[in-house]
Amino acid sequence: MRRRDFFAVLGGGILVFIADDSDAQESGGGARRGQNQQAPGELSAWLHIDETGRVTCYTGKVEVGQNARTSLTQAVAEELHAPVASISMVMGDTAATPFDMGTFGSQTTPRMWPQIRKAAAAAREMLVDLAAQQWSVDRAAIHVVDGRLTAGTHSAGFGELTKGQKLTRTIPSTVELLPAAQWTVAGKSIQKVGARDVVTGAHRYAFDVKRPGMLYGKVLYPPSFGATLQSLDSGAADMLPGVTVVRDGDFVGVTASDPVTAEKALAALKPVWEQKPAEASARDVYAHFKRTAENRPPAGGPKLTAYNVAYIAHVPLEPRAAVAEWEGNKLTVWTGTQRPFGVRSELSTLFRIAEDQVRVVMPDTGSGYGGKHTGDAAVEAAKLAKAVGKPVKRNWTREEEMTWAYFRPGGVIEAGAKVEPDGVISEWEFHNYNSGGSGLQSPYSLEKKTEQFHNAKSPLRQGSYRGLAATANHFARESYMDELAAASKLDPLEFRLKNAKDERLRGVLVAAAEKFGWKDRKKTAGRGYGIAAGFEKGGYVATCTEVAVTNGMVKVVRVVEAFECGAVVNPEHLRNQVEGAVAMGIGGALFEAIDFADNKIGNARLSRYRVPRFSDMPVIESVLLDRKDLPSAGAGETPIVGIAPAIGNAIFDAIGKRIRSLPMAPRGSIA
Amino acid sequence: MPRITELDVNGSKRRVDADAERPLLSVLRDDLDLTGTKYGCGEGQCAACTVLIDGVPTRACITRVGAAAGKKVVTIEGLAAGDKLHPVQEAFIEADAFQCGWCTPGMILGAVGLLSKNPHPSAAEIVNGMNGHICRCGAYPKVVAAIEAASKKGGRA
């Protein structure tokens, strides 16, 4: 069945907008295309039922480990009343799935989840109509259960009714969905779809894709950012058997029929580069942000407390990868990306071919965390493949992934406040330099406040990272709230509750504190307790930590995190996001930092860049507040924002030392 | 340069034609199309490339294929017995011990190796024994739970 038809915008149906994110640091350095395309209203763009009753669901969202495949399968199962095992998802194939802006911003749950439910409900109603017609019975007499329709003595499986025909119907904008309180498949933890393939190694990711006749490609990178190619002697490389050297301006690559020869060819190139002096290094970048900032507050204002946040790397365990194949003027690329349609745009623009001549397929990728928005490997593979007339694979090395992609922005955040004797904040001032505007706004109730984001010059390529600037802004805000609490001689929880009117914020604070045993915490030497709370992307979080500081070494002993994002779609997946985000956040909180100087990355490998390991894990307890009365928000990012300030606050509680920079223990010790 | 012409992989003698100095990981993935073993760092820091060589968990990215010649190599593809999954594989599924799954084959083989030496490890022993494996998604607590569950069921096939 041809699916190319569904890129024409069809009238009616549901408009899918991604909330306009004014954060300039979203999505990797300007490569984002701001298209708000209308989601097709035609049911057959989303669902197909074949003659055996097998259901296929099409979505532009992709699976990066966040279990979108499984949760969207549950959406179909719930509304269509089809067994989970009968449903397959086709995800992130620009030739087969409806347009989607990308899998980021915690948007799959709030937007794709209802969209798929609507499509599945519309399909169910269409099946009921078909049965009513065929059996000449009243619609109300028909029951739909487990892939079958029955009415009295009539019974038919889905496939018998549709006979594999396209579901030609427009999804009505007001189709009735099952309320969350009545869910039987959604809202529950079911086994991950496709789990068996992962544990047997059968599952193919972008890095694993092979095409007949495929060559291996390597790219020549400059010795430092901004360097330009002055000359290239490719004589030695040209002579290697089966090698082609490709040159296109400053882009230089080699292809070979095996990876060993490709590496030899790359090493045999003799380039001459002109390097550029660096704007800043890791040491002086904070002053650089302040100096180059736009709309700086006027001098002579109140003295603010400054917090520094380092650049960090995503370190997806599978580096970027792509295989590109041309057929005449048609391009197909398999690549690990969170934005297959965005990559399609990039390729279409670069090669000056229509978008429908480009097909991007996302075969699942070994995580992204916001780091795989841009099609760098796809572009390289496509350039090489075009030059040599054969499919080319571009698998990035870890060093390339940690140098030539993009980083979570570093930043400086400054805070100031006036607090009344009773602990109520009467004035609040908050500035973020370079990190971004996400999470800039305080969730507390503040009478008078100034909150401002200042663009600055970044010496490193920067872009989206799980939570965007909300991590930096929450670290600064929740550390500063703690400093204010101490100055007011109030318990940190009490101080926050005094300034919180939002019942959902109060809800997570109280739930976390209760599970943690906050009011019964006992002060002992070298142990400390911290609390932090926040709001981002429709989710509320509160984090309590217990930390042990021994000879300057910090160990996070226990974390309790309360999270509330409306109605819970799949409790186990949600727990994964909460616990996974806490685990990841410990890295950024304590030891992760990109080291750079002279336009070079000093630690672009895992032996020099420490990420959290088994031994870094505290006991993590998550308290999931299920608000069935509220729409479901996403959870991929927000759980990360509380961990750094909660740890910082616990360190202060333990040894009286206030650390105002991330990472807090870059060389392991905070002594 | 000596060349390796045969490897014993997953119980079969496989023909290869590789320089002995090549990393085993590349020979497995690129020459034998056994892509279940993953690349994560290329320097033995993340253990995504773990295979078993004569039953011992080994990082294929820093192992010369020459060192694997004449030994029994088991990759993730060779762990199940036909349709029957290894208890550790089953335990990982039941405990939902992975998110993106990239580290999972390495984790599973690392766990198989751990349990073969220490069939009833404590949580602390699991953490120590598995600490060479990185999971960026943070599924560590569930991996520990999976290994504990597998050990209770007698984690060997």
Side-chain angles (χ1 to χ4, degrees):
Chain A
M1 182 175 129
R2 285 179 55 83
R3 302 216 56 80
R4 288 173 197 276
D5 324 327
F6 302 111
F7 293 101
V9 174
L10 299 162
I14 295 138
L15 199 66
V16 172
F17 277 106
I18 300 300
D20 189 44
D21 188 343
S22 60
D23 188 332
Q25 276 67 29
E26 172 71 89
S27 297
R32 183 182 192 178
R33 297 291 181 276
Q35 296 157 330
N36 285 322
Q37 280 198 26
Q38 199 155 350
E42 178 80 5
L43 181 54
S44 54
W46 300 96
L47 285 172
H48 180 66
I49 302 173
D50 74 15
E51 56 274 359
T52 70
R54 175 126 212 107
V55 180
T56 306
C57 177
Y58 303 89
T59 175
K61 292 297 180 199
V62 298
E63 172 64 54
V64 295
Q66 86 288 37
N67 283 318
R69 175 175 289 116
T70 305
S71 65
L72 295 177
T73 299
Q74 285 174 273
V76 176
E78 185 68 63
E79 299 292 347
L80 185 53
H81 301 214
V84 166
S86 70
I87 302 164
S88 321
M89 301 288 313
V90 173
M91 304 180 81
D93 179 344
T94 64
T97 63
F99 174 84
D100 191 85
M101 189 101 108
T103 305
F104 56 75
S106 308
Q107 294 297 303
T108 299
T109 296
R111 293 186 188 280
M112 185 55 63
W113 165 259
Q115 169 65 40
I116 297 294
R117 288 176 64 199
K118 286 190 178 106
R124 182 194 68 233
E125 292 307 307
M126 189 173 175
L127 288 165
V128 170
D129 287 344
L130 279 172
Q133 232 173 53
Q134 280 188 30
W135 302 336
S136 298
V137 298
D138 213 27
R139 287 183 102 259
I142 298 171
H143 300 284
V144 187
V145 177
D146 263 354
R148 292 196 73 83
L149 286 88
T150 48
T153 53
H154 298 282
S155 178
F158 286 179
E160 297 168 55
L161 282 165
T162 68
K163 297 186 178 38
Q165 306 265 357
K166 230 160 81 166
L167 304 176
T168 51
R169 166 174 291 199
T170 304
I171 302 170
S173 54
T174 54
V175 57
E176 216 177 283
L177 298 178
L178 207 58
Q182 291 178 35
W183 288 345
T184 55
V185 178
K188 301 218 164 3
S189 299
I190 67 166
Q191 197 176 91
K192 198 197 301 304
V193 172
R196 197 192 165 91
D197 282 350
V198 172
V199 302
T200 57
H203 193 54
R204 293 242 170 190
Y205 296 76
F207 223 76
D208 307 324
V209 170
K210 292 229 169 99
R211 294 291 300 166
M214 183 181 85
L215 303 179
Y216 292 83
K218 296 293 278 182
V219 169
L220 179 71
Y221 292 102
S224 58
F225 301 126
T228 48
L229 190 63
Q230 299 303 294
S231 69
L232 177 70
D233 175 1
S234 63
D238 285 324
M239 295 215 297
L240 292 170
V243 166
T244 307
V245 177
V246 176
R247 183 160 178 192
D248 178 13
D250 269 23
F251 174 80
V252 178
V254 297
T255 61
S257 52
D258 68 273
V260 176
T261 309
E263 279 212 42
K264 280 207 180 101
L266 183 71
L269 294 172
K270 293 189 182 64
V272 174
W273 296 95
E274 185 180 310
Q275 302 191 52
K276 277 208 169 79
E279 291 171 24
S281 72
R283 246 165 299 284
D284 57 30
V285 74
Y286 304 110
H288 173 82
F289 290 146
K290 295 286 311 274
R291 209 174 38 243
T292 62
E294 294 173 5
N295 305 317
R296 267 177 288 177
K303 180 140 185 358
L304 302 173
T305 305
Y307 300 84
N308 294 340
V309 172
Y311 288 91
I312 64 175
H314 306 75
V315 193
L317 208 61
E318 182 208 24
R320 270 160 176 57
V323 173
E325 185 168 320
W326 288 89
E327 213 181 292
N329 237 13
K330 287 192 164 137
L331 173 63
T332 303
V333 177
W334 293 261
T335 189
T337 176
Q338 295 171 240
R339 298 169 59 244
F341 290 88
V343 172
R344 183 181 70 167
S345 286
E346 273 187 69
L347 294 167
S348 155
T349 303
L350 182 69
F351 291 104
R352 290 200 259 275
I353 53 181
E355 284 198 349
D356 64 12
Q357 300 295 293
V358 180
R359 178 183 182 193
V360 177
V361 183
M362 217 303 256
D364 277 18
T365 195
S367 74
Y369 320 116
K372 286 182 178 168
H373 287 198
T374 50
D376 316 78
V379 165
E380 291 172 347
K383 280 184 176 172
L384 294 173
K386 187 161 214 275
V388 303
K390 287 210 167 103
V392 173
K393 172 187 268 293
R394 255 310 275 146
N395 281 357
W396 280 29
T397 64
R398 176 56 57 192
E399 289 82 355
E400 290 168 348
E401 176 69 36
M402 289 183 76
T403 307
W404 296 102
Y406 53 88
F407 304 102
R408 184 195 72 179
V412 175
I413 304 99
E414 294 181 340
K418 273 208 181 77
V419 183
E420 298 306 305
D422 64 349
V424 170
I425 300 169
S426 51
E427 276 180 52
W428 177 264
E429 189 171 353
F430 199 77
H431 297 267
N432 179 298
Y433 297 85
N434 193 65
S435 306
S438 287
L440 184 72
Q441 296 193 338
S442 172
Y444 298 99
S445 43
L446 301 167
E447 281 286 309
K448 195 168 166 229
K449 61 176 184 170
T450 303
E451 290 163 328
Q452 210 179 357
F453 163 63
H454 306 267
N455 254 314
K457 287 207 160 53
S458 173
L460 296 182
R461 187 177 170 208
Q462 57 187 23
S464 302
Y465 178 103
R466 193 176 196 174
L468 303 184
T471 297
N473 285 323
H474 279 81
F475 169 65
R477 177 169 46 254
E478 287 297 293
S479 298
Y480 191 61
M481 288 294 281
D482 226 54
E483 299 196 50
L484 294 176
S488 302
K489 296 206 190 342
L490 283 172
D491 175 279
L493 171 63
E494 200 190 321
F495 180 75
R496 285 171 171 81
L497 289 173
K498 236 191 209 325
N499 287 282
K501 289 212 178 79
D502 185 332
E503 58 99 5
R504 293 171 75 185
L505 181 65
R506 297 177 68 86
V508 289
L509 272 165
V510 165
E514 204 172 284
K515 176 84 180 183
F516 187 75
W518 181 262
K519 61 177 173 24
D520 299 319
R521 65 200 193 282
K522 291 206 176 9
K523 186 76 196 73
T524 52
R527 288 264 158 156
Y529 306 92
I531 189 167
F535 167 79
E536 178 63 16
K537 296 213 166 87
Y540 287 83
V541 64
T543 312
C544 295
T545 59
E546 179 185 345
V547 141
V549 183
T550 324
N551 298 327
M553 304 297 287
V554 179
K555 174 94 179 88
V556 186
V557 172
R558 182 176 176 231
V559 173
V560 170
E561 184 152 301
F563 190 70
E564 189 262 285
C565 56
V568 175
V569 166
N570 182 312
E572 218 42 54
H573 295 172
L574 180 54
R575 209 173 293 280
N576 285 352
Q577 291 311 304
V578 172
E579 295 178 358
V582 167
M584 193 170 192
I586 285 172
L590 286 176
F591 36 75
E592 287 185 47
I594 285 292
D595 185 24
F596 63 98
D598 302 324
N599 282 331
K600 294 183 187 135
I601 304 299
N603 58 348
R605 47 170 74 185
L606 293 188
S607 52
R608 298 208 187 121
Y609 183 96
R610 183 177 163 188
V611 296
R613 290 180 180 267
F614 278 94
S615 54
D616 296 309
M617 291 302 105
V619 169
I620 305 175
E621 296 161 58
S622 35
V623 180
L624 307 180
L625 303 178
D626 192 357
R627 290 288 300 263
K628 292 256 184 282
D629 56 314
L630 296 170
S632 307
E637 299 176 272
T638 306
I640 207 172
V641 307
I643 188 68
I647 291 175
N649 296 341
I651 291 173
F652 179 77
D653 187 49
I655 59 172
K657 181 170 179 168
R658 174 58 64 183
I659 302 175
R660 299 195 182 97
S661 58
L662 292 184
M664 290 184 260
R667 268 162 287 284
S669 167
I670 57 167
Chain B
M1 281 281 204
R3 293 196 78 77
I4 303 303
T5 55
E6 189 179 87
L7 280 179
D8 182 337
V9 184
N10 298 332
S12 300
K13 301 264 189 281
R14 303 291 304 267
R15 308 220 65 186
V16 294
D17 178 21
D19 189 292
E21 294 304 305
R22 267 182 72 193
L24 174 62
L25 180 64
S26 171
V27 176
L28 291 172
R29 289 181 53 84
D30 302 320
D31 299 11
L32 295 178
D33 200 32
L34 290 167
T35 57
T37 310
K38 306 302 188 194
Y39 167 94
C41 69
E43 49 170 354
Q45 286 286 313
C46 74
C49 64
T50 302
V51 296
L52 298 176
I53 298 188
D54 287 344
V56 177
T58 310
R59 285 152 206 208
C61 76
I62 49 173
T63 302
R64 302 160 45 245
V65 66
K71 304 204 172 122
K72 289 192 181 330
V73 179
V74 173
T75 71
I76 189 68
E77 290 94 339
L79 195 60
D83 271 345
K84 190 159 169 17
L85 292 179
H86 189 283
V88 173
Q89 287 170 309
E90 273 176 4
F92 267 65
I93 293 180
E94 279 182 39
D96 194 31
F98 53 94
Q99 294 187 23
C100 81
W102 191 253
C103 73
T104 305
M107 287 278 184
I108 288 174
L109 290 171
V112 169
L114 173 71
L115 291 174
S116 70
K117 276 181 26 202
N118 183 355
H120 302 290
S122 64
E125 286 169 335
I126 293 173
V127 166
N128 279 339
M130 296 295 292
N131 214 27
H133 292 262
I134 291 176
C135 169
R136 189 52 161 165
C137 295
Y140 297 119
K142 288 190 168 172
V143 172
V144 173
I147 297 173
E148 284 177 329
S151 79
K152 284 194 179 73
K153 291 208 178 125
R156 311 144 185 267

